Amino acid sequence: MRAARLIKMVLLLQSRPSMTAAELARELEVSERTVTRDAQALSEAGVPVYADRGRAGGYRLVGGYRTRLTGLARNEAEALFLSGVPGALREMGLEDAASAARLKVSAALLPSLRDASRAAAQRFHLDAPSWFTEPKTPELLPVVADAVWDDRRVLARYRRGDSAVERELDPYGLVLKAGIWYLCARVTGRDSYRVYRIDRFTAVDLLADGDRFTREKDFDLPAFWEEQAEQFARSILHTEVVVRLSPDGARRLPYAVDPVAAKEALEAAGRPRTDDGWVTVTLPVESEEVAHGQLAGLGPEVEVLAPEVLRVRFARDAARLAALYGS
């Protein structure tokens, strides 16, 4: 533990002209007294750490000293590619590896380029979860992430409806979608891949250390996820409704319902059939109940024509609104 801290201290001093004891203590998560002891230990080991006394003083490396401890470990290199998603790194247990990787890269850069990471952080931040939600990190995510990185087979138990299912899985990849973590995996011994919500896992056990699976070289996680997401979106659209839309309603439709379904429905309808610009479309939806909630957001810019039961429901809504706002 202390050896790793000493290496990190050298890399910090190598990446900056000088640092105060308070700055080092904050970066290393130790006390200033520990920083003093560590600096003395480095000096005794031959690392030329020099302490400048006084209010503006601090620690620095003398004579352009450069350490050769800048080679990236495998997990650090992998974490570096995810360093733009700090929340995801933290949830997968890779925050320390990413921090070490950034330090090593910073130490290897020319002095004029060492503020690159800070400049990037000031200009780009990814906030993955949806608005008005408080995503909860699945308790078993770090175990699953370890298995994914190391190609380790797992025995997973998860909830499926009211029952519990146990499967031996080859975990291929993780996806973070709108604050929810998913595992893309293959049931051991089968050819097809499936998607599992990690917050539905009740237990995940790593199998024997030597029980690793051979990853299919042509497996493309982004392409697989895109295909699965499209299939899922289409699979839940079991019902059709027929509606008339004003020009503004047609423009807003993709924001109220599934955007792909809206686009296809509008393209199939063609140009407006009436002089006032209104268009009639047949729209696939998840259910009449869901369609009611979605289309209600369009207000007077949509008229439901079918099914009749949904039209009656909107007519009742309109009557209640008229009673509330009428003179």
Side-chain angles (χ1 to χ4, degrees):
M1 187 72 173
R2 190 190 184 199
R5 189 176 71 241
L6 291 174
I7 291 173
K8 186 174 182 179
M9 183 174 180
V10 173
L11 292 173
L12 283 168
L13 293 174
Q14 186 172 310
S15 64
R16 307 179 194 181
S18 68
M19 295 183 69
T20 65
E23 290 172 335
L24 284 168
R26 185 168 57 252
E27 290 282 354
L28 299 172
E29 298 180 349
V30 295
S31 66
E32 292 186 30
R33 181 172 296 180
T34 299
V35 168
T36 301
R37 288 198 297 264
D38 286 352
Q40 183 177 352
L42 287 171
S43 181
E44 292 173 353
V47 179
V49 178
Y50 182 77
D52 291 316
R53 305 298 179 184
R55 178 177 298 180
Y59 292 93
R60 59 186 174 85
L61 293 176
V62 179
Y65 176 84
R66 307 285 294 176
T67 178
R68 296 183 180 181
L69 299 173
T70 52
L72 291 178
R74 181 175 180 83
N75 68 328
E76 295 169 348
E78 292 167 338
L80 186 62
F81 287 103
L82 295 171
S83 59
V85 278
L89 281 169
R90 184 170 54 252
E91 292 174 8
M92 288 190 291
L94 293 172
E95 188 174 28
D96 289 343
S99 176
R102 286 193 294 269
L103 274 174
K104 289 181 178 182
V105 170
S106 180
L109 293 174
L110 293 172
S112 61
L113 299 177
R114 286 178 187 160
D115 65 341
S117 61
R118 181 173 177 271
Q122 290 177 332
R123 290 163 173 80
F124 175 77
H125 174 68
L126 176 63
D127 186 7
S130 302
W131 286 104
F132 314 119
T133 59
E134 291 292 337
K136 183 179 179 181
T137 303
E139 183 179 345
L140 296 171
L141 176 61
V143 179
V144 177
D146 285 344
V148 169
W149 288 118
D150 207 22
D151 293 343
R152 289 276 298 276
R153 283 201 173 101
V154 299
L155 184 64
R157 289 178 286 279
Y158 62 96
R159 301 186 304 272
R160 187 169 68 184
D162 296 329
S163 60
V165 180
E166 185 174 270
R167 291 283 187 272
E168 187 175 302
L169 301 175
D170 298 346
Y172 266 71
L174 292 167
V175 175
L176 177 60
K177 170 72 171 179
I180 299 175
W181 284 95
Y182 296 89
L183 172 67
C184 301
R186 183 176 62 184
V187 177
T188 302
R190 301 184 185 178
D191 294 331
S192 59
Y193 300 90
R194 297 187 61 185
V195 176
Y196 302 86
R197 275 185 60 151
I198 295 180
D199 58 5
R200 292 179 181 168
F201 285 142
T202 58
V204 176
D205 298 318
L206 296 174
L207 297 184
D209 189 50
D211 196 0
R212 288 175 167 80
F213 65 92
T214 302
R215 181 176 291 267
E216 294 290 340
K217 294 182 179 179
D218 59 350
F219 178 77
D220 185 333
L221 180 60
F224 170 76
W225 177 257
E226 183 178 359
E227 179 184 355
Q228 291 293 307
E230 184 176 344
Q231 288 180 5
F232 173 76
R234 290 182 178 277
S235 69
I236 63 174
L237 304 180
H238 303 297
T239 305
E240 287 187 343
V241 298
V242 181
V243 298
R244 289 181 66 242
L245 296 159
S246 70
D248 188 48
R251 180 184 60 81
R252 290 164 50 190
L253 185 65
Y255 302 97
V257 301
D258 179 77
V260 176
K263 179 182 178 182
E264 292 178 351
L266 290 168
E267 289 176 350
R271 298 180 61 82
R273 301 173 185 175
T274 57
D275 294 338
D276 57 4
W278 284 62
V279 62
T280 300
V281 302
T282 299
L283 182 69
V285 294
E286 184 174 345
S287 66
E288 292 178 7
E289 182 69 27
V290 172
H292 176 261
Q294 292 174 329
L295 296 175
L298 297 180
E301 308 304 325
V302 61
E303 177 190 2
V304 175
L305 302 179
E308 183 63 23
V309 64
L310 186 59
R311 179 178 174 85
V312 169
R313 188 169 180 179
F314 271 90
R316 290 173 181 168
D317 291 346
R320 290 177 62 192
L321 285 170
L324 285 173
Y325 292 103
S327 57

